Amino acid sequence: MKPVRHPDAPAPGELLGAHYEHCFGCGHEQPHGLHLEARAGEGVSLTAEFTVQPAHQGAPGLAHGGVLATALDETLGSLNWLLRTIAVTGRLETDFVRPVPVGTTLHLAAEVTAVAGRKIYSTATGRIGGPEGPVAVRADALFIEVKVDHFIDHGRDEEIKAAMSDPDRIRRARAFEVNP
């Protein structure tokens, strides 16, 4: 089925913010994290950016492939906020097209392509040199809708209790929205 943007989803252009401050992908409290920032797009799409730091190296001066896959996964996972669905990554198929040097800002674009029951299909590209620059990485993903119990049953008690005690209701809910 064609994906449908939730009526309460952030407006196009709105910064989505971190779903959890300690998330390696988007959290600002994660010192070596990606600090990826995503903005809602039209329909069920978004754009995101992150700048490759020295801590993200694999080969000297180049981004580690696992870090690039994480950036794609985080971007794709953020799409679920537009559906207002709690989901986890079921499959992530990644293509590495060209190297991404340290200091480069990766411009990511993602969209949900289909929804079938609990399955959410999506695709993303990462470009260097700007949003219209050459493709460096791309991915297709399958996310699976889960209940919040998934995180409570499998996460560490300390972090779960800390997230659940956050007085901000929206941050509390978003901490459990996606597990890329």
Side-chain angles (χ1 to χ4, degrees):
M1 295 180 357
K2 183 176 178 178
V4 177
R5 183 188 190 99
H6 193 279
D8 296 332
E14 187 175 327
L15 187 65
L16 299 183
H19 75 91
Y20 177 55
E21 290 301 320
H22 297 283
C23 173
F24 182 79
C26 65
H28 297 290
E29 296 295 321
Q30 190 59 254
H32 296 297
L34 305 184
H35 303 152
L36 186 134
E37 293 194 341
R39 289 191 181 280
E42 297 292 331
V44 189
S45 72
L46 59 77
T47 58
E49 292 183 358
F50 96 96
T51 301
V52 178
Q53 301 299 317
H56 303 146
Q57 291 182 81
L62 296 174
H64 189 287
V67 168
L68 297 175
T70 300
L72 288 161
D73 191 36
E74 184 69 27
T75 301
L76 290 158
S78 296
L79 288 165
N80 297 313
W81 184 241
L82 302 177
L83 298 171
R84 299 299 291 263
T85 299
I86 299 171
V88 295
T89 308
R91 179 183 55 82
L92 179 68
E93 184 177 328
T94 307
D95 297 318
F96 301 95
V97 179
R98 63 176 26 100
V100 179
V102 169
T104 299
T105 298
L106 192 64
H107 301 268
L108 297 131
E111 69 176 327
V112 175
T113 56
V115 175
R118 294 178 46 224
K119 296 178 181 180
I120 302 164
Y121 297 91
S122 53
T123 189
T125 57
R127 298 173 181 270
I128 57 177
E132 303 301 321
V135 172
V137 292
R138 62 179 162 249
D140 292 310
L142 166 65
F143 281 79
I144 307 296
E145 183 178 354
V146 296
K147 303 285 186 212
V148 75
D149 293 350
H150 169 87
F151 302 97
I152 294 167
D153 292 345
H154 300 288
R156 285 188 347 168
D157 286 342
E158 182 179 334
E159 282 86 358
I160 292 168
K161 287 176 184 171
M164 292 300 285
S165 67
D166 190 324
D168 185 311
R169 183 179 62 80
I170 293 173
R171 273 198 320 254
R172 190 170 55 242
R174 288 202 66 202
F176 299 99
E177 81 178 13
V178 66
N179 182 30

